[in-house]
């Protein structure tokens, strides 16, 4: 299994299994036994136990090159074991690239960063379209040759607009939504259609500031660090499972616009890292938090 | 003025002037003119303007070796200029080492760290005594040959105890109080006696958690960073001017006791850095925030 | 001088003076006296003394709105004082935006990052052109509507090519060159034409690795951190004055391509920060190192 | 297996198995099968594959409370499987606390930090003795009630001294040596007696500086970051497998003594973290680098 050093993706196709179930003896043995009995070669196995919750988590990736089951069969064959261990599980194949829709409003920093990374091959996904409630970033989409869908939002058309968005997302077989500084609240209906498949990025501070203009509040409070958090969107606004966080140092010499600028740098790197983990099937959600097999 | 590289303190005595006043033309010129006219050599000058507040801040340190005013005279001679520019100002001499009292309860990490740094010459201060509401850290004080004063606290004796503490602090000519994990709320009377001279350290999180057991709450929320904040104590509990903050990365694999342990590491380094800046007269407070001339 | 909080640039034009000279009494007083006597309002003053070298450094920015000298006169009037104090000095006006040429080869990460920042208003400069020794990034230039000049390089045409580049740079009145992953060695002739005006970015490691394929070497050595350094280009390859450095954590789980990818993230943020400081006239070079008035 | 949240150590005894062998199908299955067949409950399993080397690494910790083999038997029963898979392996029991000797010279920062952490329960080890080539830190040892052994070193007695040290270390059944700023080169004979059981801490810089006075060199070079590296001691001086590294930011305003002081802070935290991982049997060495199951 010697592979060239410079490959970030395995040469042959792989399958990834994500498991979450009650902890009990024999779990690893059973799952690895299944892979082994069909001549799969495990190339990554990470396991975590939360002793307080008696919960077991595993990510297992194996090479499909010598595997003697077709992709369609694997799921069927796994089902009895999964039922026996009360597993919540996901099965992904590296040959099936996730399809991602980017949601934006006016700010371009996350959008450019994600598109440049995509072009550089860092994001194992297809990005067929961009959705926005403004026209302002259409030129960016055009520069990259991407479809740009403008959905103007008014107080009275939100339900209809989201219905139309949903239709578009289904027609384009979208798996994952990335709110790349999208300044609209996502409705429960859209959230329910993409459970733990919508990533958001927002600022975060020590201490936290509630209400409008958080950077102004942070400036007034004289904080020495500003932060950004990427999380899955749930019905509790900005309270969904945290995937990644980072901070940057600021000082009295930074004014509000400096904080905003430094915040943009954080937002783009934090969102990109969270998305990369998500697309690599490295994030498991339970009890409103995440296990990240980084 | 060639000085040996390895010196952290100037060879000769210095004076440090901290100024805060409304911004107006000629401030720097007037102050440096005063130093110059008495043959002082400026070795550090830092200035900051807050344009939103139209406020001016300056830290100026000069060599006293050729200066033609006695220390006692300087203050008198500065007064007219200070009045003219409506300055709030402080004047410190490197020959007058601040006297620091450490307040502790049961945890030893900040205490050991500060005492080891003091022994290594990192803290330009004298530490004549330790005050605690428990006996448990007395052996640490004894190891370092420091006086340890035990003030047991009950609900009904708090006022008397603080009165006794105040008397002791005055008798020992203490300038600065460091709450090195002191698990008691300081009363307004003590705070008023040491304005912006009491440093505290506490945990901080993204998001913030209100109430008891914050590390448990952070664990439940699945945060990916934990932080610590050092601030001056004011009557608004944990809301005083922030001097320094830092964070450390955590993951799903860290349980509550890991968070607590990593938090201790942060607390000790953040508090030590804040204290060093304070003792070097590098921190100016205004409008409940700080200018740190680091 | 109350300015709106959200402004990153002063509303009115400013002048910035950078000074480097032997340390002596009265320097600050003399310079601020000059500004004051012409009714200038200082909005930023930073000063540094290197006691080991007896050297004085200052950055001073003042508002030109009430200033009673024309821009053309200022330099003449400063000259006598500068001569008296043996000053090396630079004078910049915020109304004169620096003109920047980006040099690239094949990698797009620094290029996209700089262009997106420029579009977002973060870089106070004009970027009239991109120079490359390959065609591959021409589409990126076209997306942003920028001139792209392809200069194919061979072993036998280097001198001629650089001559042509120099001519182009002069014709376009370029002030600053940014080597944004430009995989060619700049000749002494080009370096001499742009002293301390050429910024480079390169990887850096603990320990450092000499020779080809540094990321492979870092992987083999099992480093736990990788870094990036932005510096001015001098004749000593990669040994010029350091402007900014940063690192990112890696582990045994990161293969060579992970290191390369994480290195790209570092490179782009380190280069952008260094460039922003350079364009804001915040970097002073002396004795092959920098004073950064951040 | 519900355990109280606040425990950092499992309530009951555990065994930890560290494995390194050629990668082949069935490894995880075989090892977990062994644990399972004897009624062990796995509480932590981490696995890593280095595809470039075709090498497999695993750390597996299991609860011994229901396990039906005595500690003495486990090794015997594991041997056939280990031989079959050409495993290099280590077996550790949480009931057997490692015994650590600290080696120091004159600087106290790492020593105090380790002793305070030990007192706070952070280091799962016994520290029966301190060895030094100077008398200067004897008072620190006495404060903590630890034996302090002074071995004066001269050019002509090095071999004899190390022989005496070796005898002492054996008499005290020492497992791990920590060079906590020990300013002597360890001889091959001592290294051979403690393979991958001697931890060192040293400064590291971007770029690296060879020769004496590295902090002076770093200052002269104008670096913006300084670092520290903890590694296992091998015969290649300072070139042994890296366990942990970290850096801190410095600026032109920091003189050599500031760099030294900031370096001390780094050294103590980096060494303590590396030691904690080592004592937790989380570090595997192969090909002069480490896999750290953090």
């Amino acid at each position: 299994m010697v592979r060239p050093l410079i490959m970030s993706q395995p040469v042959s196709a792989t399958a990834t299994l994500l498991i979450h179930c009650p902890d009990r003896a024999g779990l690893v043995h059973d799952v690895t036994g299944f892979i082994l009995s069909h001549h799969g070669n495990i190339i990554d196995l990470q396991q975590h136990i939360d002793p307080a919750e008696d919960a077991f988590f595993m990510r297992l990736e194996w090479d499909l090159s010598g595997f003697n089951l077709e992709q369609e069969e694997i799921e069927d064959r796994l089902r009895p074991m999964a039922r026996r261990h009360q597993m919540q599980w996901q099965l992904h194949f590296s040959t099936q690239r996730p399809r991602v829709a980017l949601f934006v409003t006016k700010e371009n920093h996350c959008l450019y960063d994600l598109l440049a990374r995509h072009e550089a091959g860092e994001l194992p996904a297809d990005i067929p379209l961009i959705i926005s409630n403004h026209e302002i970033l259409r030129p960016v989409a055009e520069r990259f040759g991407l479809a740009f869908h403008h959905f103007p939002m008014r107080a009275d058309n939100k339900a209809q607009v989201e219905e139309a968005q949903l239709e578009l997302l289904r027609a384009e077989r979208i798996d994952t939504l990335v709110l790349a500084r999208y300044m609209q609240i996502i409705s429960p209906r859209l959230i329910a259609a993409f459970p733990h498949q919508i990533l958001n990025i927002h600022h975060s501070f020590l201490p936290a500031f509630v209400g409008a203009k958080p950077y102004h509040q942070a400036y007034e409070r004289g904080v020495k660090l500003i932060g950004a958090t990427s999380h899955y969107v749930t019905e509790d606004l900005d309270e969904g499972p945290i995937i990644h966080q980072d901070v940057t140092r600021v000082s009295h010499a930074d004014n509000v616009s400096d904080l905003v600028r430094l915040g943009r740098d954080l937002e783009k790197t934090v969102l990109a890292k969270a998305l990369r983990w998500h697309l690599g099937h490295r994030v498991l959600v339970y009890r409103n938090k995440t296990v990240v097999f980084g």
Side-chain angles (χ1 to χ4, degrees), chain A:
Chain A
M1 213 196 59
V2 180
R3 287 193 266 117
L5 264 186
I6 202 67
M7 287 287 108
S8 64
Q9 296 301 321
V11 173
S12 56
T14 66
T16 299
L17 183 61
L18 283 170
I19 292 172
H20 165 204
C21 62
D23 186 25
R24 58 175 68 172
L27 276 167
V28 176
H29 190 251
D30 276 14
V31 177
T32 58
F34 170 81
I35 308 299
L36 188 63
S37 67
H38 294 285
H39 305 292
N41 190 20
I42 296 171
I43 55 177
D44 191 53
L45 184 157
Q46 294 184 67
Q47 176 249 31
H48 170 63
I49 288 167
D50 182 337
E53 299 294 330
D54 205 14
F56 173 91
F57 306 87
M58 189 163 74
R59 181 188 187 275
L60 193 144
E61 187 174 358
W62 72 97
D63 194 329
L64 289 171
S65 57
F67 205 60
N68 68 12
L69 293 179
E70 293 303 307
Q71 295 194 10
E72 305 73 43
E73 292 175 281
I74 299 176
E75 208 160 311
D76 283 350
R77 298 292 185 91
L78 273 169
R79 205 159 286 132
M81 181 176 63
R83 201 174 299 123
R84 203 163 63 246
H85 291 299
Q86 299 169 262
M87 289 177 180
Q88 294 177 35
W89 58 298
Q90 307 167 29
L91 182 64
H92 302 279
F93 297 102
S94 64
T95 49
Q96 295 169 352
R97 281 166 73 86
R99 291 172 66 80
V100 174
L102 304 180
F103 281 62
V104 298
T105 296
K106 291 179 174 176
E107 290 175 277
N108 72 19
H109 56 287
C110 287
L111 180 60
Y112 267 129
D113 189 66
L114 292 175
L115 295 180
R117 287 174 194 277
H118 188 248
E119 194 164 295
E122 282 186 25
L123 299 176
D126 294 328
I127 304 181
L129 64 93
I130 297 171
I131 284 176
S132 182
N133 56 329
H134 275 82
E135 276 289 351
I136 197 167
L137 295 177
R138 183 183 292 276
V140 179
E142 285 169 354
R143 280 178 190 170
F144 284 81
L146 295 177
F148 183 89
H149 298 267
H150 179 208
F151 289 90
M153 282 279 190
R154 292 188 317 270
D156 64 347
N157 73 346
K158 197 168 166 106
Q160 290 153 269
V161 165
E162 286 212 344
E163 195 55 44
Q165 288 178 345
L166 203 46
E167 209 166 297
L168 173 65
L169 296 169
R170 280 172 181 152
E172 290 282 357
R173 290 166 295 114
I174 296 298
D175 302 294
T176 295
L177 277 52
V178 178
L179 310 186
R181 303 295 292 151
Y182 181 61
M183 300 288 98
Q184 287 285 327
I185 292 169
I186 300 292
S187 74
R189 182 159 155 67
L190 201 51
I191 293 168
F194 294 92
H196 300 147
Q197 292 290 337
I198 310 179
L199 282 81
N200 190 24
I201 180 75
H202 74 88
H203 46 71
S204 40
F205 300 96
L206 302 154
F209 302 104
V210 179
K213 301 204 166 189
Y215 284 101
H216 282 76
Q217 290 189 65
Y219 175 79
E220 288 300 320
R221 183 67 184 86
V223 299
K224 304 301 186 190
L225 294 173
I226 59 170
T229 296
S230 181
H231 63 96
Y232 287 118
V233 175
T234 61
E235 291 203 25
D236 293 322
L237 186 66
D238 292 344
E239 295 284 328
I242 296 169
I243 307 168
H244 186 46
Q245 301 187 289
D246 208 352
V247 296
T248 200
R249 193 161 293 288
V250 298
S251 83
H252 63 269
D254 294 303
N255 61 24
V256 173
S257 64
D258 292 322
L259 301 194
V260 170
R261 175 177 49 81
L262 293 165
R264 282 199 300 259
D265 271 15
L266 268 178
E267 287 162 7
K268 73 188 193 191
T269 53
V270 169
L271 178 59
K273 199 165 258 186
L275 180 57
R276 204 179 131 85
W277 283 330
H278 175 83
L279 295 174
H281 312 300
R282 299 187 167 275
V283 189
L284 251 171
V285 176
Y286 85 115
R287 286 172 54 87
N288 205 42
K289 56 186 185 179
T290 63
V291 171
V292 179
F293 293 119

